Amino acid sequence: MDRRLYLIKEGEISLKGLNRGLFEKRLKHNIKDKLRPHGSDMTRQKGRIFLHVDADCPHELVAKALSTTYGIVGWASAVTAAKELDRIKEAARKLLEDAGPTEATSFKVDARREDKAFPIRSYDMAIALAEVVHEVHPSLKVDLKRPGLVLHCEIRDKTYLYLDDNNGPRGLPVGTAGRGLLLLSGGIDSPVAAIEMAKRGLKLDCLYFHAYPYTSDEALEKVKTLASLAAPYLGGTRLFVVPFTDGQLNIKAKSREDATTLMFRASMMKLSSQVVRQEGMGCIVTGEALSQVASQTLSAMAFTDSMAEALVLRPLVGMDKEEIIRTARRIGTYETSILPYEDCCVIFSPKHPVTNPDKAEMTAMYETLGMEDYIKQAISETRIYSYDAMGRPNGVYGYGEDGSHPLEEEGQG
Ligand code: ATP
Ligand code: MG
């Protein structure tokens, strides 16, 4: 079968000394995972990965895969030619013709010679290829500063030519920094927190506290949609849906009204820590930002932190809402996050929550609630929705109290 070629520029991983092999292996694995069931293979040379895919694999699919895979700085769909000037010019002409008419009014040629034994210098190559561009698009003017079209030519083991130079998401390959558990709500923040950590190589599963019927089925659907939208950036993910209505009602019944949110957040930390332990993960991730709401003041976060039995990472802690929204728009979760289904925090929110809680007092209050049984029960009734590396649902599972997976697979989510 015919195959198509993509040229991938690696990022920071080319700097990672001894770990470099591992990082590259993971990056290749992550790319391959997304392109299944289509066949793909990869070779590597000096900061470049050459990806070959079956010709029946749609370009849009490869584009989505590469633009959501951390560790990739840029990518292009490329053609090759032998290292002879006439062959190179011929391939460049065909590449330009196949790309069709252009809206650009200017161009430049970006020529690079990795193979220094090749006799034509980059400058001369650029001149030769500029002639070809002129022949195909006679109206284009050369503009080295702000060209509308760039013809790239890299001389390596072969000649590689490409026109589209796409940005990758940069960062480090997901799975090179361990695993964590994201507390995913229906809001704007937590999906952004997920991808900020994925960018540093953390592999994440998601966990949502569902308080049915106080939080609706629509609210759950919204969270499932967010998980599936984030999944390509996370290299696939699982969404743990924890039924926590009884726990929430217990908190509402037994704790002081102004402290209910903090008691809920403390139990979230306790339960999540248990899942983190059972799953062998290294941290909890939340979408909290300093001073965003009452439970996100320094003393409130210090209290919830003290209830966690795992490292808690808050990648958005110093970010403005506007910065967060910008990222949410870029990754495509914003429109879903702003859908108006209430989440449980809204229904169980006190009118005047404490903003400067006393840690010892709050800890003592939590002790009186008897949350352990509720937590145990909720974990044993947790369901897991799984999403593959392209965000497609690929199974629903039960979850045992001890972290086993006792129920048979229950079909598609
Ligand atoms: P917004 O994006 O509107 O701020 P939010 O989801 O961030 O909404 P907060 O009340 O600010 O809501 O919650 C802070 C963090 O706590 C969230 O970013 C998320 O990590 C976690 N969280 C809140 N509610 C839930 C929930 N029901 N299930 C799981 N995690 C939650
Ligand atoms: Mg928030």
Side-chain angles (χ1 to χ4, degrees):
M1 195 191 301
D2 262 4
R3 315 210 85 194
R4 282 205 319 275
L5 171 68
Y6 290 86
L7 188 149
I8 296 169
K9 299 176 189 175
E10 290 173 274
E12 205 175 328
I13 61 171
S14 42
L15 303 173
K16 288 277 165 186
L18 284 177
N19 286 332
R20 183 179 171 148
L22 271 177
F23 279 68
E24 279 167 12
K25 209 169 143 196
R26 175 55 70 168
L27 178 57
K28 286 200 218 162
H29 169 278
N30 290 352
I31 295 169
K32 206 173 173 62
D33 201 25
K34 289 188 178 171
L35 297 176
R36 257 190 276 280
H38 299 281
S40 64
D41 56 69
M42 280 165 265
T43 54
R44 226 195 126 261
Q45 270 178 49
K46 268 195 162 176
R48 295 278 186 274
I49 291 174
F50 300 97
L51 165 70
H52 299 266
V53 295
D54 292 346
D56 67 355
C57 179
H59 173 76
E60 293 67 38
L61 196 120
V62 181
K64 177 172 175 184
L66 299 182
S67 45
T68 55
T69 302
Y70 288 112
I72 295 178
V73 160
W75 60 274
S77 96
V79 296
T80 59
K83 289 194 282 189
E84 291 164 33
L85 187 57
D86 286 347
R87 294 281 93 79
I88 297 170
K89 285 167 79 172
E90 191 180 302
R93 182 188 317 272
K94 180 158 186 336
L95 178 67
L96 287 159
E97 283 169 356
D98 288 352
T102 172
E103 283 170 12
T105 55
S106 61
F107 81 99
K108 86 167 189 184
V109 175
D110 183 19
R112 250 178 213 246
R113 187 173 54 146
E114 283 297 329
D115 172 10
K116 298 295 179 209
F118 183 70
I120 304 173
R121 291 179 327 171
S122 299
Y123 178 79
D124 298 325
M125 179 61 80
I127 302 281
L129 290 179
E131 274 172 28
V132 177
V133 179
H134 262 138
E135 283 162 27
V136 180
H137 297 300
S139 66
L140 294 193
K141 304 264 176 304
V142 174
D143 181 346
L144 299 181
K145 286 220 174 75
R146 304 191 63 197
L149 178 146
V150 183
L151 172 61
H152 299 263
C153 172
E154 298 185 10
I155 308 284
R156 296 169 177 269
D157 58 327
K158 299 175 216 165
T159 311
Y160 296 87
L161 295 158
Y162 55 96
L163 290 169
D164 60 329
D165 190 10
N166 307 284
N167 291 327
R170 314 186 93 89
L172 300 170
V174 162
T176 57
R179 294 193 301 132
L181 186 65
L182 169 80
L183 301 192
L184 179 66
S185 65
I188 296 165
D189 301 333
S190 39
V192 174
I195 74 125
E196 294 295 344
M197 292 318 302
K199 186 171 80 186
R200 297 306 300 165
L202 195 66
K203 179 100 183 91
L204 284 168
D205 286 315
C206 309
L207 185 146
Y208 170 61
F209 289 88
H210 190 38
Y212 186 82
Y214 300 96
T215 45
S216 60
D217 282 335
E218 285 89 342
L220 173 59
E221 285 309 313
K222 179 177 161 181
V223 172
K224 283 160 68 176
T225 304
L226 290 174
S228 79
L229 289 172
Y233 292 95
L234 309 183
T237 193
R238 294 178 300 163
L239 171 65
F240 290 65
V241 176
V242 180
F244 209 57
T245 314
D246 293 345
Q248 294 256 74
L249 290 172
N250 181 58
I251 290 169
K252 200 166 165 63
K254 291 194 196 148
S255 52
R256 213 173 66 204
E257 211 249 338
D258 65 352
T260 47
T261 306
L262 282 180
M263 294 301 114
F264 176 42
R265 297 203 69 82
S267 25
M268 286 165 79
M269 289 299 160
K270 289 282 182 207
L271 188 148
S272 307
S273 301
Q274 189 172 327
V275 173
V276 160
R277 195 163 56 240
Q278 284 169 187
E279 294 294 312
M281 295 166 169
C283 66
I284 296 169
V285 177
T286 79
E288 291 164 295
L290 185 61
S291 302
Q292 196 184 70
V293 290
S295 62
Q296 292 168 25
T297 61
L298 274 191
S299 46
M301 288 197 283
F303 165 64
T304 43
D305 235 33
S306 73
M307 301 306 276
E309 287 147 25
L311 171 66
V312 182
L313 298 177
R314 299 176 170 88
L316 311 188
V317 75
M319 280 168 72
D320 277 345
K321 197 76 188 187
E322 267 159 50
E323 293 177 73
I324 298 171
I325 289 176
R326 216 177 304 137
T327 307
R329 285 189 194 279
R330 181 168 52 77
I331 61 171
T333 53
Y334 182 74
E335 297 303 328
T336 302
S337 289
I338 60 173
L339 292 174
Y341 306 117
E342 286 185 290
D343 75 43
C344 54
C345 303
V346 176
I347 289 156
F348 289 97
S349 296
K351 281 200 191 64
H352 301 289
V354 269
T355 52
N356 190 15
D358 180 85
K359 202 196 269 186
E361 187 193 2
M362 290 298 123
T363 309
M365 191 186 298
Y366 183 82
E367 300 299 323
T368 66
L369 302 179
M371 291 307 295
E372 295 73 19
D373 289 345
Y374 292 97
I375 288 175
K376 212 169 153 186
Q377 183 70 20
I379 289 184
S380 73
E381 290 170 3
T382 290
R383 306 178 64 73
I384 298 178
Y385 297 80
S386 177
Y387 299 90
D388 73 11
M390 290 298 267
R392 294 169 292 231
N394 66 349
V396 187
Y397 309 84
Y399 190 65
E401 204 183 291
D402 55 353
S404 62
H405 297 256
L407 303 183
E408 291 296 296
E409 185 175 341
E410 292 176 19
Q412 300 294 299

